[in-house]
Amino acid sequence: MSVFSSYVPSAPIAPAGLTTRILHDARQHFEHGAVHAPIHPSIAFGYDRAEDLVAVFQGEKPGYRYSRQGNPTATALEQKITQLEQGVGSVSFATGMAAVAAVFQAFLQKGDHVIASQFLFGNTHSQFLTLQKQGVELSFVDPTDVAAVAAAWRPETRFVFVETIANPRTQIPDLSAIGALCQKNGTLLIVDNTLTSPALFVPKNVGAAFSINSLTKYLSGHGAILGGVVTDTGAFDWREWPHWVSRFAPSMTKAPIQTWGTAQIRAKSLRDFGATLSASAAHQILLGMETLELRLIRITANAAALAAALAKDSRVAAVYHPSIVTHPQHQRAAALFAQAPSISNDVLPYGGLLSFELRDHKPLTYLNRLTLPIISTHLGDTRTLVIPVAQTIYHEMGAAERAKMGIAEGLIRVSVGIENSQDLTADFMAALDAK
């Protein structure tokens, strides 16, 4: 697709349930009546007339240039995500972290200021520290309280970056209030929507300019493919952005204003840095998305049941999952997530990730007693995955930084899968009983 091509959603289909839309939207546009989006592996695209290629390069005509900037199968995926996010356009990437980095590289420059959640996923936190070395100023705050975000504001603040549910302690930002603050100040709110997915939450509803999803996690769902995507929600007026790439802006303004954000990302991040999602990966993610709602019905029920069982056991010191009524953001989760009319009422609004601490502070011993969960990094899989947080994915951060994020040395993270609930809960309880 051209750098400046915009997304035009298909006519809505009825009934408009989430799974129905994922399965059938845009199917009428597939070649030869194909049920699934075809795989287009070509890296080059030919034109009958030189003028046509020139028009594509200059943003005057939609079309494909070179697969580093996108291919027809990736476009099918991007359009599906755009509709789920109720946005105006999406750009896909080879990994979720590439999608996060793409927004930074496309819009930030030396001297800009970013406010970010102090509870960010470790690799995202590391990316921000790299930005700091490149001259971007940072303020890490507790986003569960909008006052902390407001107190960190500066005239040069360009982004506020939060996650819908923090990994691994499950803190939930005051998304509605932060969105209102960003809109008042003309600043981009960027929401990493990975732990909820657009099935549970649509960041556009709180005024976010961008929603980022790791396609690797719940959207593809089977732990078999990497991918990421950035969606422009249409909530930000790009005429207000203070610094465009000067040589890029003249041709970009030929396109509709709502496409300027994704055009900048596609040119400055995808084209220049090259973390392109392959056609085969896009195809596999599209297949995985077909069962998103069905998986979330089982996953969210399993997570709530497991969290409740652990919370009742005296050998467990703490359980962190928004379904627990003592969770500080329990009511916020219920109000924000899984309220879309197209989602099944059986999908609980608390997500599928939880963490807990043991009173005996021996997480490795406990994990070795489990038989069903897989000791592995990753989340959003069909299988339940467990990991000792401080000793692995947050090890590089150091004890002081972990303490600021509320990550205890004995914290265990659980990405709950679709196993039978009674089998899963019984295994976690048996591991507590083992000697």
Side-chain angles (χ1 to χ4, degrees), residues 9-29:
S10 304
I13 56 177
L18 179 75
T19 299
T20 302
R21 287 191 285 119
I22 290 174
L23 289 172
H24 295 288
D25 176 63
R27 181 172 54 82
Q28 65 271 28
H29 301 307

Side-chain angles (χ1 to χ4, degrees), residues 133-255:
K133 293 179 181 178
Q134 296 170 347
V136 174
E137 307 213 5
L138 302 176
S139 296
F140 290 105
V141 303
D142 179 353
T144 63
D145 181 2
V146 69
V149 179
W153 216 276
R154 303 181 191 174
E156 61 274 20
T157 300
R158 301 289 176 244
F159 288 178
V160 174
F161 189 102
V162 297
E163 298 160 335
T164 52
I165 302 176
N167 168 14
R169 275 283 310 275
T170 72
Q171 300 95 331
I172 299 171
D174 191 348
L175 291 162
S176 297
I178 293 171
L181 182 65
C182 287
Q183 290 193 319
K184 176 183 176 182
N185 288 279
T187 300
L188 299 180
L189 171 59
I190 301 172
V191 175
D192 187 327
N193 202 27
T194 295
L195 284 188
T196 39
S197 86
L200 291 179
F201 182 62
V202 177
K204 180 179 181 177
N205 292 339
V206 296
F210 286 118
S211 176
I212 299 175
N213 285 278
S214 170
L215 299 169
T216 313
K217 309 301 193 301
Y218 291 102
L219 283 163
S220 62
H222 297 80
I225 202 74
L226 295 169
V229 67
V230 179
T231 300
D232 185 334
T233 70
F236 187 78
D237 185 348
W238 288 109
R239 291 170 295 189
E240 303 300 319
W241 187 246
H243 40 252
W244 292 107
V245 176
S246 58
R247 67 179 176 84
F248 183 54
S251 58
M252 182 181 64
T253 55
K254 298 176 184 178

Side-chain angles (χ1 to χ4, degrees), residues 395-410:
H395 173 67
E396 292 180 6
M397 191 171 288
E401 285 299 315
R402 288 196 295 271
K404 290 179 185 178
M405 299 177 72
I407 297 174
E409 296 302 296

Side-chain angles (χ1 to χ4, degrees), residues 394-427:
Y394 284 82
H395 173 67
E396 292 180 6
M397 191 171 288
E401 285 299 315
R402 288 196 295 271
K404 290 179 185 178
M405 299 177 72
I407 297 174
E409 296 302 296
L411 188 68
I412 294 171
R413 188 187 77 180
V414 186
S415 171
V416 179
I418 64 171
E419 296 93 346
N420 294 100
S421 181
Q422 62 270 26
D423 296 333
L424 195 61
T425 300
D427 196 52

